[in-house]
Amino acid sequence: MPGMAANPSIFDGIALPSTHFETHKLAWFVPDKGMTLSAYAKKMCSKIRHENPVLLGVSFGGLLVQEMARHIKTSKVVIVSSVKHSSELPKRMLFAKYTKAHKLLPTGLVNNVELLAKYAFGETVTKRLELYEKYLSVRDKSYIDWSLDKIVNWKQTIVPENLVHIHGEKDAVFPMVNIKDCIPVRNGTHTMIIHRAKWFNERLPAIILGEESCI
């Protein structure tokens, strides 16, 4: 599951061995008005065709796959560049939760790729606009508003037992200082699923199969 506003092409560099894995990429849809994150997760579960799957989600997609795991049985949940506990959200998001500051963001400018990338990736992307034009294709204002609201108001205090957290040491959206019990990626940023695909291809199979420690 890709991150906020991103499409499944962010996983184009990920190639798991077909001898052990069958990979399916999920995509965002625009939520119904007033839809809860739980209801959205349940609807997304209807797109899964296999029993006891491994769910992998990036950033906001990481929050979503944790919610999906409440509705279906999973063998493992892997989150990348995300959070697994409300306490791991950065202070600015907690501030937004109580002040509703996120509702004042100019989300109507979603076709401004630079602005959208700042929301979704925490990066200034003037040097890579064409690249981000490709990855950030979900530009519906109601979806962006909904996503921001669900992120800052996400509540989870009990971490799923079968969860593995992979996190970049230089993540600008969810700073490493707030993250506990994860597999750290040296110099990894919030977009490392794209730019560090080699790291994931070398290690993800062992992580999924439980052959690598989660701490």
Side-chain angles (χ1 to χ4, degrees), residues 111-119 123-126 129:
N111 285 316
N112 180 327
V113 178
E114 291 182 47
L115 181 65
L116 188 57
K118 193 68 176 176
Y119 289 170
E123 293 185 2
T124 301
V125 298
T126 51
L129 274 181

Side-chain angles (χ1 to χ4, degrees), residues 39 51 74 120 123 126 139-140 142-143 147 163 181 196 211:
E51 293 184 359
T74 59
E123 293 185 2
T126 51
R139 310 218 182 142
D140 184 277
S142 63
Y143 162 81
S147 298
L163 183 140
D181 299 335
R196 299 288 297 277
E211 298 168 2

Side-chain angles (χ1 to χ4, degrees), residues 81-102:
S81 307
S82 190
V83 296
K84 59 187 176 297
H85 192 286
S86 300
S87 64
E88 293 184 337
L89 289 168
K91 289 183 179 179
R92 68 179 182 277
M93 291 187 185
L94 295 175
F95 176 79
K97 174 182 178 179
Y98 293 109
T99 63
K100 308 299 182 185
H102 60 289

Side-chain angles (χ1 to χ4, degrees), residues 32-74:
D32 299 329
K33 187 175 181 179
M35 196 173 205
T36 64
L37 186 58
S38 178
Y40 191 99
K42 187 174 183 180
K43 189 171 182 178
M44 186 65 77
C45 285
S46 67
K47 302 179 183 298
I48 294 177
R49 298 287 179 259
H50 295 72
E51 293 184 359
N52 209 29
V54 173
L55 298 180
L56 184 149
V58 176
S59 192
F60 182 37
L63 272 61
L64 181 63
V65 295
Q66 291 176 73
E67 293 293 327
M68 291 169 67
R70 299 176 189 272
H71 297 288
I72 61 172
K73 185 178 180 181
T74 59

